[in-house]
Amino acid sequence: MSENIANEIIKEVAVWGVPQMIDLIITTYVKPKLKKNTKDSNSILEEKLSEYLRRSYNKYLYMNTIVFKNQQKTIDDLYIPLTVSKRNIKPKVGYANILINKFPDNFIPLYTKVLLIDNAGMGKSTIIKYLYLEAIKQNKGIPILIELRRLGQDDVIIDFITNEISNIRKKFDNDDVYNLIEGGEFIFFFDGYDEIVEESKGKITDALREFISKAEKNMFIISSREESSLSCFGDFQRFDIKPLRKEEAYDLICKYDNNGELSKQLITKLENEENLKIINEFLTNPLMVSLLYKAFEYKSNVPYKKSIFYRQVYDALFEDHDRSKGGAYVHPKKSNLDIEDFYRILRILGFLTLKEGITYSKEKLIEILKRSKQYATGIEFKENDFIYDITYSVPLLLKEGTEYKWIHKSFQEYFAASYICIDAKENQSKYLSQMISNKKMDRYYNILDFCYDIDYKEFRKVIIYPTIKKFIEYYENSYTDEPYENYNAEDLDVRKNLNFIYENTYIIKIDKAVPSIDEQLKYTKEKFKEIFRGWKYVSDKNAAMLISNTGICVGYLKGYTNRILLKLLSSKQSPIIKKDIHTKSKRYSENIFNQLVEGEHLINENPANILNNHEIFGEVNRFLIEYLPQGDGTNLIFDYAECVKFKKEIEEEIKFEKENKLFL
């Protein structure tokens, strides 16, 4: 018996066992609660819950991936156990790492409220679906998975859940479901917070918080990319996904062709060609690993830049040769567009849909494609033909029921970034500036990442230069008073950076009359609400980090854009960034805070500020480095000397361009 046939039999056996697993969930968690209620709708609710679990199990068991064009693979075919990591609030304890190779009790239910946060392609949705399936297999509760992109701003969460369970025919009311939820033992998986359309985010966030508050006896996990609005979920524990190790990335590559020749060739190339070491960081991201495989399958070479990966994958999908016809035959497209015209429409489509989310009805998609034609003079096609091509011939969109969805949000972002940098030159600087304003940079991080690669010259002029200019000005005009002349230069460098990056940073000493950790957290949040008036949401993530039992916490009001820019530049190996910084004082002592009076202490350059005392200056820095959020687990600051060189280069470039304009 071949390995493929054996795998198919195993899959079928797994599906056959689903009714028994679901019956066990119903018997364990649902029937005991319904016995207390004699309403006739009990049997209907029980039946509908069983149907929902069976339906959703089969839905989330299968994955659509860019590697396997129009082929269904199960999660078990492609899942590499990922590790999630939680920063421990106790000093010197470090990170709590949990391997997701089953439904781990030290993840959920140990933490009843979890935020799963990470960058594009790290596998957040895959983990959510894997845990959902494992919850059913291991009888861990009543799992409900909600894709948040499907929520409208006027949707009531309980209505949405009821409709999900009811499917088409609704024979019970919300009270039946709500009474069941009130009893606890549900596990709510809210997937893709970052995929909620911006105009609906405020209302949906409020609805989520209200629902979670009312259904507090249950367990909740929310997945998302990094977003500032997540700060409103202050009572959730944050987990990040650990990057893949090289061995794990290679295991994933081998899964794509069942340990065939192509995966062996790619791994050999990655191991032995010295010039490929530059892309090692791509091996840490599951999506990038899959794109690497797809790009290599197409051209047998490895692109060095992220944006080139995506272009090569697009080319591979468009020119997917029919090997049954000699490997040179390319299926014609119904739209009759060539590879470049099709690419141009995709760029426009990516840009126009940024505010629309990643899922659309057919009517909406047709409307957007009609608008796309207005941006692409000279390109003609029928909207229905293009929809067919983008779903089947060049499958960058998936058809789910009556809706169409980008196969991954990062493809929408790649095409949008390409539009900004290629088609919208006259407005490029305006678009780039808008994306870093008003706390939008986290939402557009991946687009900016692509723009950095596609048009670095414009990116550094519009985004990096203004920030560096402000930094140098602040650096050269702060901590210049006479008392600081004898301070350690490294300590001063770090403090100037921290003050620039995090505006309005406070250290608060808790009132001794506040005894427990929970009460201290509550006290701290209230304190920060007083300090940061007008700040809608205050949490221990962005405005109050409690430090164990010391009665000390640290918080900041601004600096989000600076942190995101540092993270982006660090990922690009920019010389103007210092990584893993250390101060003269290698560790801080909790005893340094004994002399602080209760209340808030603003970090500033006033020599009279007790936090600026010479003997504890470096230790205060170390404390801030330890507990101010960095975003990617490293300590990042600007390199002043490199920033000065960078600023000079750009200003010389701007001057040269002004003096050497070409006239025809």
Side-chain angles (χ1 to χ4, degrees):
M1 182 184 295
S2 72
E3 183 180 349
N4 287 340
I5 294 174
N7 287 337
E8 289 303 316
I9 291 175
I10 291 170
K11 289 178 199 173
E12 289 298 324
V13 170
V15 173
W16 289 341
V18 171
Q20 287 72 32
M21 292 187 291
I22 291 170
D23 285 346
L24 187 57
I25 289 174
I26 299 298
T27 301
T28 307
Y29 302 106
V30 179
K31 285 182 181 292
K33 295 182 177 66
L34 295 181
K35 280 181 181 177
K36 300 174 184 178
N37 189 342
T38 58
K39 290 174 67 174
D40 293 336
S41 59
N42 283 357
S43 59
I44 297 174
L45 178 53
E46 188 179 314
E47 176 190 341
K48 286 298 180 182
L49 263 173
S50 296
E51 286 178 7
Y52 163 78
L53 291 170
R54 276 192 288 272
R55 186 171 67 248
S56 56
Y57 184 94
N58 290 325
K59 176 182 178 181
Y60 298 122
L61 177 64
Y62 292 95
M63 300 175 65
N64 287 289
T65 71
I66 201 73
V67 172
F68 300 100
K69 179 179 176 180
N70 294 324
Q71 296 180 47
Q72 283 193 320
K73 295 284 183 176
T74 69
I75 267 192
D76 293 330
D77 288 329
L78 300 176
Y79 181 68
I80 291 287
L82 298 169
T83 299
V84 297
S85 180
K86 173 184 176 292
R87 172 70 179 271
N88 201 310
I89 65 170
K90 293 183 179 179
K92 307 174 193 67
V93 172
Y95 292 81
N97 297 322
I98 301 168
L99 182 67
I100 308 298
N101 60 351
K102 58 180 181 178
F103 194 93
D105 291 334
N106 59 341
F107 185 47
I108 295 176
L110 178 61
Y111 304 99
T112 58
K113 296 177 182 178
V114 168
L115 283 176
L116 184 61
I117 312 296
D118 226 306
N119 299 327
M122 284 303 294
K124 298 176 292 296
S125 290
T126 302
I127 287 179
I128 290 290
K129 290 169 185 174
Y130 178 81
L131 287 174
Y132 179 86
L133 296 173
E134 288 299 308
I136 292 175
K137 290 178 184 177
Q138 299 178 46
N139 193 28
K140 292 294 184 178
I142 310 168
I144 302 289
L145 198 161
I146 296 176
E147 296 168 281
L148 290 174
R149 62 184 167 80
R150 296 176 55 210
L151 283 174
Q153 63 177 347
D154 297 322
D155 283 342
V156 178
I157 303 291
I158 191 66
D159 290 346
F160 191 89
I161 292 170
T162 301
N163 289 334
E164 284 289 285
I165 295 171
S166 305
N167 198 12
I168 299 172
R169 293 173 298 167
K170 184 176 178 181
K171 292 188 177 180
F172 51 87
D173 58 37
N174 290 354
D175 289 342
D176 295 330
V177 179
Y178 193 74
N179 290 336
L180 193 59
I181 291 173
E182 274 192 323
E185 298 180 307
F186 276 78
I187 310 169
F188 290 100
F189 297 88
F190 294 111
D191 187 31
Y193 178 83
D194 57 293
E195 294 176 359
I196 303 171
V197 293
E198 190 62 28
E199 63 185 27
S200 302
K201 183 148 288 184
K203 287 188 176 181
I204 291 176
T205 298
D206 289 340
L208 264 177
R209 292 174 69 234
E210 181 182 5
F211 173 76
I212 291 167
S213 174
K214 290 180 177 178
E216 58 183 10
K217 291 182 181 179
N218 300 284
M219 294 167 276
F220 308 89
I221 178 167
I222 301 173
S223 74
S224 179
R225 296 187 194 179
E226 183 74 79
E227 292 215 355
S228 57
S229 53
L230 287 167
S231 61
C232 66
F233 298 102
D235 52 347
F236 275 61
Q237 299 293 326
R238 175 189 170 125
F239 283 81
D240 301 277
I241 303 173
K242 291 198 74 174
L244 291 177
R245 301 191 312 274
K246 183 185 286 189
E247 298 77 20
E248 293 173 323
Y250 289 170
D251 286 345
L252 187 54
I253 289 171
C254 289
K255 274 180 173 281
Y256 290 141
D257 72 341
N258 293 318
N259 293 297
E261 281 303 311
L262 189 65
S263 60
K264 291 175 184 175
Q265 291 173 19
L266 175 55
I267 291 169
T268 299
K269 206 173 185 71
L270 292 169
E271 279 293 292
N272 297 325
E273 292 193 17
E274 190 62 34
N275 61 346
L276 294 183
K277 303 299 180 188
I278 192 172
I279 68 160
N280 273 345
E281 68 173 289
F282 291 155
L283 295 176
T284 65
N285 182 300
L287 176 64
M288 295 305 293
V289 171
S290 71
L291 297 184
L292 173 62
Y293 178 87
K294 189 68 179 178
F296 186 76
E297 181 186 42
Y298 173 61
K299 276 194 172 179
S300 296
N301 66 15
V302 180
Y304 295 160
K305 287 185 177 180
K306 181 177 173 180
S307 60
I308 301 175
F309 265 114
Y310 280 75
R311 173 64 207 232
Q312 197 159 309
V313 170
Y314 162 70
D315 290 347
L317 292 174
F318 191 93
E319 297 183 348
D320 193 19
H321 297 125
D322 189 337
R323 293 180 178 83
S324 68
K325 300 186 179 182
Y329 177 77
V330 179
H331 284 293
K333 307 300 180 286
K334 288 190 72 172
S335 60
N336 291 318
L337 298 180
D338 63 27
I339 191 169
E340 291 304 325
D341 284 348
F342 201 93
Y343 179 43
R344 187 179 177 193
I345 298 300
L346 280 172
R347 296 197 300 265
I348 298 168
L349 181 66
F351 179 76
L352 291 180
T353 56
L354 280 179
K355 289 186 177 181
E356 306 286 349
I358 64 169
T359 306
Y360 331 99
S361 66
K362 186 170 184 178
E363 292 73 21
K364 185 66 176 179
L365 188 53
I366 288 173
E367 176 194 324
I368 297 169
L369 286 171
K370 285 180 178 178
R371 288 172 58 202
S372 298
K373 286 183 180 180
Q374 298 172 358
Y375 286 75
T377 305
I379 299 179
E380 290 297 328
F381 58 89
K382 293 179 180 178
E383 291 80 12
N384 279 317
D385 290 343
F386 190 90
I387 291 173
Y388 177 89
D389 285 343
I390 203 175
T391 309
Y392 300 105
S393 305
V394 191
L396 289 162
L397 262 62
L398 297 172
K399 189 172 187 295
E400 295 185 339
T402 60
E403 294 185 319
Y404 293 82
K405 171 194 172 188
W406 286 94
I407 193 165
H408 196 276
K409 187 179 179 183
S410 62
F411 279 92
Q412 178 197 45
E413 293 167 323
Y414 162 68
F415 290 117
S418 299
Y419 174 84
I420 291 168
C421 296
I422 296 171
D423 304 283
K425 280 293 183 182
E426 70 280 3
N427 291 314
Q428 185 179 358
S429 60
K430 181 182 75 173
Y431 291 144
L432 290 174
S433 298
Q434 286 177 346
M435 284 190 285
I436 64 168
S437 65
N438 300 322
K439 294 195 174 181
K440 290 182 179 179
M441 194 169 181
D442 54 359
R443 187 166 185 84
Y444 296 117
Y445 179 89
N446 211 35
I447 299 176
L448 291 165
D449 192 343
F450 283 122
C451 288
Y452 182 103
D453 284 347
I454 297 169
D455 191 350
Y456 174 64
K457 181 179 178 181
E458 190 69 14
F459 185 94
R460 68 176 191 161
K461 189 188 299 182
V462 175
I463 292 182
I464 306 176
Y465 175 67
T467 301
I468 294 309
K469 189 176 179 182
K470 290 177 185 176
F471 168 70
I472 292 171
E473 183 180 354
Y474 176 81
Y475 192 98
E476 293 177 348
N477 292 284
S478 63
Y479 290 90
T480 56
D481 292 337
E482 183 180 346
Y484 298 117
E485 291 178 359
N486 298 322
Y487 280 47
N488 176 268
E490 182 185 2
D491 287 342
L492 281 171
D493 176 60
V494 171
R495 182 67 69 87
K496 289 179 181 184
N497 258 284
L498 294 176
N499 280 12
F500 176 78
I501 296 166
Y502 300 92
E503 302 175 50
N504 297 324
T505 303
Y506 284 84
I507 290 176
I508 290 183
K509 185 167 185 180
I510 309 292
D511 190 328
K512 289 180 181 178
V514 182
S516 73
I517 290 287
D518 288 341
E519 288 175 316
Q520 286 182 10
L521 274 172
K522 184 178 178 181
Y523 172 90
T524 301
K525 290 176 185 179
E526 291 304 316
K527 258 301 186 191
F528 273 101
K529 283 180 182 177
E530 292 176 17
I531 295 170
F532 301 141
R533 286 183 174 85
W535 191 255
K536 186 175 182 182
Y537 300 121
V538 178
S539 77
D540 58 1
K541 173 187 172 292
N542 76 312
M545 176 64 78
L546 186 69
I547 312 306
S548 188
N549 295 309
T550 63
I552 301 294
C553 64
V554 61
Y556 68 98
L557 178 57
K558 297 183 181 178
Y560 200 81
T561 298
N562 288 334
R563 286 198 301 114
I564 300 297
L565 181 58
L566 279 165
K567 178 182 174 183
L568 176 56
L569 295 178
S570 173
S571 73
K572 301 297 184 182
Q573 308 297 318
S574 172
I576 68 174
I577 303 300
K578 288 182 183 178
K579 288 185 178 183
D580 297 317
I581 56 167
H582 299 284
T583 61
K584 183 180 178 182
S585 178
K586 297 301 181 187
R587 59 181 295 275
Y588 74 89
S589 166
E590 294 173 9
N591 294 328
I592 66 174
F593 300 109
N594 289 338
Q595 56 189 296
L596 294 183
V597 297
E598 292 165 1
E600 63 267 17
H601 299 267
L602 175 66
I603 306 291
N604 58 29
E605 58 184 285
N606 184 350
N609 187 336
I610 194 170
L611 298 175
N612 292 331
N613 285 357
H614 187 276
E615 63 272 18
I616 65 170
F617 193 81
E619 292 191 78
V620 171
N621 283 352
R622 185 60 191 160
F623 174 81
L624 294 173
I625 291 168
E626 187 75 19
Y627 288 105
L628 283 172
Q630 294 293 319
D632 66 349
T634 58
N635 301 314
L636 305 174
I637 62 173
F638 292 107
D639 186 316
Y640 168 73
E642 290 293 334
C643 286
V644 171
K645 286 168 55 179
F646 179 91
K647 177 174 176 286
K648 183 179 179 182
E649 287 173 8
I650 293 213
E651 289 175 345
E652 288 177 352
E653 180 182 293
I654 294 171
K655 181 181 177 183
F656 176 81
E657 288 176 351
K658 284 182 178 179
E659 293 174 351
N660 293 274
K661 288 184 177 179
L662 295 177
F663 294 91
L664 296 179

